[in-house]
Amino acid sequence: MTITPTALTRAAGLAAVAAGAIFIGVNIGHPHLDATSVTTTEVIVRNSLKVLMAALALAGITGM
């Protein structure tokens, strides 16, 4: 399989779309960040998704 510029552009676009979808999903119903909620599983999962979102956005923007 050869990697073409078109395939790279499509992959970058998909990464950017995925980052946007994660951004929307993470921000829906976001809890207030105080001392009691920072250690909950929900906040840990949201922060992990934010890291994934940042990596996908970086790949998407760089590729496009």
Side-chain angles (χ1 to χ4, degrees):
M1 177 179 162
T2 59
I3 299 174
T4 63
T6 304
L8 286 174
T9 303
R10 284 184 184 158
L14 287 174
V17 167
I22 292 172
F23 178 76
I24 292 169
V26 164
N27 285 315
I28 294 175
H30 200 286
H32 294 289
L33 295 178
D34 55 5
T36 58
S37 70
V38 172
T39 58
T40 61
T41 305
E42 181 183 2
V43 172
I44 293 170
V45 169
R46 284 179 186 268
N47 286 341
S48 299
L49 286 171
K50 288 177 188 178
V51 171
L52 176 63
M53 178 201 66
L56 287 171
L58 180 64
I61 291 170
T62 302
M64 286 193 283

